[in-house]
Amino acid sequence: MTTSYELAHPQALESEAVHIFREVAATFAKPALLFSAGKDSVVMLHLAAKAFWPAPMPFPLVHIDTGHNFDEVIEYRDRVVEQRGLRLVVGEVQDDIDAGRVVEDPRTGRNRLQTTTLLRTIREHGFDAVFGGARRDEEKARAKERVFSFRDEFGQWDPRNQQPELWRLYNGRHRKGEHIRVFPLSNWTELDIWTYVEAEGIELPSIYYAHRRGVVRRDGMLLADTRFLPRTPHDEPFTTTVRFRTVGDATCTGCVESTAATPAEVVAEVAATRVTERGATRADDRISESGMEDRKKEGYF
């Protein structure tokens, strides 16, 4: 009689991610972890801590700050960094606006401007590998992404110029000036993330759970009525019970009406939905049919 040992689905995903973190630490000289305090980056941080426990994480966190963040998210970011004793590198979009490297258009927000700030931050700190929380189920351009995503000396992504990953063997080879984006959560889904959050008891920013908030309805989406959102003559603000499925720039991140106030309730809600969080709540992904892919080719997350 032979005995086989198989991990349950959540444990298999965790094991894969832990292996990826350790592979990068062993292969690259100066990696970093992109941390927006969104649910995916929080789960990444949790996995990275597991991967190197009891030693401290051998790389810093990097936040590309548009300056238009939700207050709850920034409070959570700073608290987690202090509690865990982590190093945080913040790339400010405002610095690039002030230096004239990018030009702000109030009608489109600052989300796209993050690309210039991200590439500048990678270059200034000499990072050769950058962990990101993108998942293949989020958006069709991200479905093309490899776990180790090669970026050229300009930080650009060419989907036709990527290394094969047969048998989960990862190739981190690159020349000076080039770098690799690494996606440990590639094979996770939104439901996997929330199932893991519930099982591990991971704390998230409060805006991921149902709360009362002032909103405006635009293009079929509910946007938070914040100090960063320019009003239009057609806006009719109202207050309702919502939660956020994803976190980004406050001017383009929508919320959904929901009463889910616990991880278990969110799991049940996500299990019933048929639209990904980016498809449902990110206005910046609606600029064109290939909006995300075009931005990734420029060096976006």
Side-chain angles (χ1 to χ4, degrees), residues 135-205:
R135 309 186 324 267
R136 290 183 178 130
D137 77 315
E138 290 181 278
E139 201 273 341
K140 58 186 178 183
R142 287 182 165 172
K144 299 179 181 180
E145 198 91 66
R146 303 288 173 88
V147 174
F148 275 35
S149 179
F150 171 77
R151 304 299 172 106
D152 65 18
E153 65 271 26
F154 303 106
Q156 297 173 329
W157 174 65
D158 180 357
R160 296 170 296 182
N161 182 25
Q162 301 293 318
Q163 293 100 330
E165 293 179 345
L166 303 176
W167 305 291
R168 296 185 180 178
L169 296 175
Y170 304 115
N171 183 356
R173 184 178 302 170
H174 64 286
R175 293 187 288 267
K176 185 176 180 179
E178 302 169 341
H179 70 277
I180 304 291
R181 305 279 175 88
V182 184
F183 302 106
L185 305 181
S186 284
N187 294 323
W188 296 53
T189 65
E190 184 183 10
L191 183 58
D192 291 327
I193 292 290
W194 277 104
T195 301
Y196 192 73
V197 166
E198 180 186 16
E200 295 287 306
I202 300 173
E203 180 192 1
L204 295 177

Side-chain angles (χ1 to χ4, degrees), residues 15 33 52 60 69 92 95 99-100 113 115 128 139 149-150 163 173 216 224 226 231 240 243 245 266 285 288 299:
S15 178
L33 189 151
F52 303 106
N69 297 286
E92 302 278 359
D95 291 345
L113 305 185
T115 299
D128 55 358
E139 201 273 341
S149 179
F150 171 77
Q163 293 100 330
R173 184 178 302 170
V216 296
T226 70
R231 289 278 188 91
T240 187
R243 72 174 189 86
R245 292 177 64 186
V266 175
D285 287 349
S288 73

